[in-house]
Amino acid sequence: MIGYEFIAAHVASQTGLRLPPVLRPAQVRPVTRIEPMADLLAVPRQVAPADDAPLLEHVLFALKHEDLQLALLLEALRLVPAEALSAALATQRTGSFLRRAAFLWEKAHGRELPLPWDSTGGNYIDLFDSASHYVGPVWERSQRLRVNFNGIGPFAYCPVVRRDTGLEQRGQQVLERLRAWADDAGNRSTLDRVLSWAYLSETRDSFAIENESPSPDKERAFLGALAELGDHQPVTEDYLVGLQNTVITSALRVEAEFRHQQNWLQRGGHGALAVRYIPPPPGDLPALMDGWMAMANSREGDVPPFVRAALVSFGFVFLHPFMDGNGRLSRLLAHHSLNLQQVLPVVGGQPTLLPLSVAMKRHEAEYLAALEAFSRPARGLWDVTCLADNAFAFDFRSSPSTYAHWNGEAAARFITDCAEQALAQSLIEETQFIQAYDLAFDRIDREFDLPNRSINLLIQWIRQNGNRMPTRRRTAAELALVPPADIDRIEAIVADCFRPPAAEPGTATDNDTDTQAGAA
């Protein structure tokens, strides 16, 4: 074992602590250079630490060659003697990886590393390499070690995301298409109706993911909270408490502050096996939430908008700072992040909304998988004892760094996927539907003397039957005075108005769907 695999085994044997799994373990293989593979990092024997290498060499190897996993590095450095690291620095005073290790050693121990000089000298170096990771501002700077901490968030709460050019470009394309959609003069007459539908669908589907249906008052309050995101208000504990009170359906479960007791998520099962996820202990929560809020409020760095929104949303639900309402609130906070970053176009004074929850509801299995990329291994860091029905004893066997320094790549991919689907399936398709509906209504209204209600019924019945008038509807009481020939003509009008646009040469079109048949 080398690198992180050695670190995890060594820490477990020395302390009994459990650590998150190694993302892509380094293993010695018959290769001539280090080669990233799908599920491991192949390393030549001559590059790997020797079999009898001390722990510090494995830390330096991981820092230099492996994915950055701060939780593992911090626990390893707790076991590295100060004398060993000081001696190594004395022989290579400006070594970049030694200085990074020393910075993390001081974080792990909460004190300065004893050094014979005031500064290591050399140029300042960043803890995160911006060529391989998304980074934020310089949150803090060690003058002694000449190291900048430039994570996505401050040290107290800093998810890690490797740079992904393809994902970044996809997110940028969503924003460009969204602006083009909002600026298209041909959409101007329908944008207000599309956005009203998007806001309402986002509200209802966010509750539906929790298997709840909001009362009319709660629905209005949630819609109001979405609309107020355009105020760009930073997150604070009081602000989050207000949102929690908004999304909760029972007055008995509203809260006035972050939790002071342990909570957990439970699904079907017996005893401790029913406990599927456990957020951090209440004693660790204040520091974690302070760090999370600093990250959520930051607009500095090079983090793509949907990546930051994913870290804000998923990070909140992983911390679970309230006893109830965390899931709905986390989805609302994804929109808060996009609004705070001011990346969404404004239409008629109202911020555009990508109904992410609609996409999440359509792809709940993928949503669960993205959540479980963190929650499943985190569950293994706890011992749970069932005391009685719905009563458990919890013993956290790891470090708070597990919750502070998680890998956000699965969350970033999922939110970007949802943004693409929300734009294409909820906004653009809904716009096309309303425009086709308006055209069909206008043509029928000009050609036939029918009540508005009858026209609406005809369009909906024909659309719901694949642009064909259902035989059983032809004799409906509402159409008693409409001749069969007129119904045939109306059927042809509807089919013509809702005909899918012709595909460009060499491209394919999706099958026409009627997921928003009752939207108009």
Side-chain angles (χ1 to χ4, degrees):
M1 291 188 294
I2 59 175
Y4 285 126
E5 280 203 322
F6 179 91
I7 287 170
H10 185 80
V11 169
S13 67
Q14 295 297 308
T15 68
L17 283 179
R18 301 171 192 165
L19 295 177
V22 178
L23 296 176
R24 185 169 56 178
Q27 296 180 2
V28 175
R29 288 287 189 269
V31 293
T32 58
R33 64 178 186 276
I34 293 179
E35 294 184 14
M37 297 184 177
D39 55 354
L40 61 87
L41 190 69
V43 180
R45 174 69 270 179
Q46 68 272 17
V47 178
D51 292 340
D52 59 349
L55 178 60
L56 179 57
E57 286 196 28
H58 289 276
V59 169
L60 295 173
F61 175 87
L63 273 170
K64 186 174 183 179
H65 299 296
E66 297 190 71
D67 295 330
L68 199 54
Q69 293 192 248
L70 293 180
L72 277 70
L73 291 170
L74 290 167
E75 292 308 319
L77 287 163
R78 291 185 202 279
L79 302 178
V80 172
E83 299 77 14
L85 188 49
S86 297
L89 268 171
T91 64
Q92 194 179 354
R93 186 165 163 175
T94 60
S96 61
F97 294 104
L98 275 169
R99 283 191 282 158
R100 290 184 179 98
F103 179 89
L104 294 175
W105 188 97
E106 293 187 345
K107 288 295 185 182
H109 289 266
R111 61 185 176 90
E112 289 188 346
L113 182 71
L115 298 173
W117 2 266
D118 293 334
S119 171
T120 59
N123 296 327
Y124 274 92
I125 58 172
D126 295 330
L127 187 74
F128 291 89
D129 181 359
S130 61
S132 58
H133 290 82
Y134 294 116
V135 300
V138 175
W139 297 92
E140 59 180 299
R141 172 172 289 172
S142 170
Q143 294 183 344
R144 296 174 69 249
L145 301 170
R146 301 182 77 80
V147 173
N148 299 320
F149 188 83
N150 63 326
I152 292 173
F155 182 81
Y157 192 88
C158 183
V160 178
V161 183
R162 289 186 64 85
R163 192 172 291 280
D164 185 333
T165 303
L167 190 72
E168 192 172 339
Q169 291 174 345
R170 287 171 54 202
Q172 187 59 35
Q173 287 169 1
V174 169
L175 293 176
E176 290 172 358
R177 291 182 66 201
L178 181 62
R179 292 188 196 100
W181 169 82
D183 293 340
D184 188 342
N187 295 335
R188 196 163 296 152
S189 64
T190 57
L191 287 181
D192 58 338
R193 283 182 286 167
V194 174
L195 284 177
S196 294
W197 177 86
Y199 272 75
L200 184 59
S201 297
E202 174 66 23
T203 298
R204 291 176 175 174
D205 277 8
S206 189
F207 279 87
I209 290 171
E210 308 294 332
N211 296 315
E212 290 192 30
S213 178
S215 67
D217 286 345
K218 278 296 173 183
E219 188 174 275
R220 282 192 293 272
F222 196 96
L223 285 166
L226 283 171
E228 290 170 2
L229 296 179
D231 295 341
H232 308 139
Q233 185 173 343
V235 292
T236 63
E237 183 171 2
D238 287 343
Y239 178 74
L240 293 170
V241 165
L243 290 182
Q244 192 269 351
N245 294 177
T246 297
V247 305
I248 286 298
T249 55
S250 170
L252 298 176
R253 300 203 299 271
V254 299
E255 300 179 43
E257 58 186 349
F258 295 148
R259 62 181 169 87
H260 295 283
Q261 56 185 305
Q262 187 62 57
N263 56 357
W264 65 93
L265 298 185
Q266 188 172 342
R267 281 210 204 106
H270 298 285
L273 293 177
V275 177
R276 303 296 296 273
Y277 177 66
I278 311 167
D284 296 330
L285 189 63
L288 289 167
M289 285 304 300
D290 284 346
W292 176 88
M293 288 188 288
M295 180 199 73
N297 288 329
S298 174
R299 287 190 281 173
E300 299 181 64
D302 67 353
V303 187
F306 293 115
V307 174
R308 190 183 296 278
L311 301 180
V312 169
S313 177
F314 278 64
F316 181 88
V317 81
F318 293 154
L319 294 178
H320 243 65
F322 297 111
M323 297 304 291
D324 196 14
N326 297 284
R328 276 155 287 179
L329 191 44
S330 74
R331 291 183 287 277
L332 188 63
L333 287 166
H335 299 291
H336 179 280
S337 177
L338 293 173
N339 276 273
L340 192 65
Q341 297 175 74
Q342 299 185 35
V343 296
L344 302 174
V346 176
V347 176
Q350 182 183 38
T352 305
L353 181 132
L354 284 166
L356 301 174
S357 292
V358 177
M360 292 177 183
K361 185 71 177 76
R362 288 173 177 165
H363 301 279
E364 287 191 82
E366 290 87 343
Y367 186 21
L368 181 61
L371 290 167
E372 288 187 342
F374 174 81
S375 66
R376 188 184 292 268
R379 172 63 178 86
L381 305 179
W382 290 78
D383 283 339
V384 181
T385 303
C386 182
L387 304 176
D389 290 342
N390 210 35
F392 303 91
F394 298 98
D395 182 17
F396 186 44
R397 303 298 302 277
S398 191
S399 160
S401 183
T402 298
Y403 292 96
H405 303 129
W406 52 285
N407 183 280
E409 291 166 20
R413 286 192 298 270
F414 179 73
I415 290 296
T416 303
D417 289 345
C418 288
E420 288 177 329
Q421 293 164 24
L423 174 62
Q425 299 176 4
S426 294
L427 297 186
I428 293 177
E429 286 187 7
E430 180 68 10
T431 301
Q432 293 169 347
F433 176 86
I434 290 178
Q435 290 171 347
Y437 197 104
D438 286 352
L439 179 60
F441 188 100
D442 184 60
R443 287 177 58 180
I444 295 167
D445 190 41
R446 282 189 285 108
E447 192 168 336
F448 300 95
D449 183 20
L450 292 174
N452 288 353
R453 182 175 180 276
S454 297
I455 297 175
N456 281 319
L457 283 175
L458 281 162
I459 294 173
Q460 291 179 26
W461 287 341
I462 293 168
R463 286 292 297 134
Q464 291 167 359
N465 194 45
N467 290 340
R468 302 283 297 178
M469 184 66 186
T471 301
R472 65 186 181 86
R473 296 290 192 185
R474 287 178 175 270
T475 57
E478 295 87 347
L479 305 180
L481 300 179
V482 182
D486 289 357
I487 294 177
D488 292 340
R489 173 60 184 153
I490 290 170
E491 177 187 79
I493 291 173
V494 172
D496 182 55
C497 292
F498 281 93
R499 181 175 291 111
E504 295 181 6
T507 64
T509 58
D510 295 331
N511 290 330
D512 187 28
T513 58
D514 189 24
T515 55
Q516 295 98 14

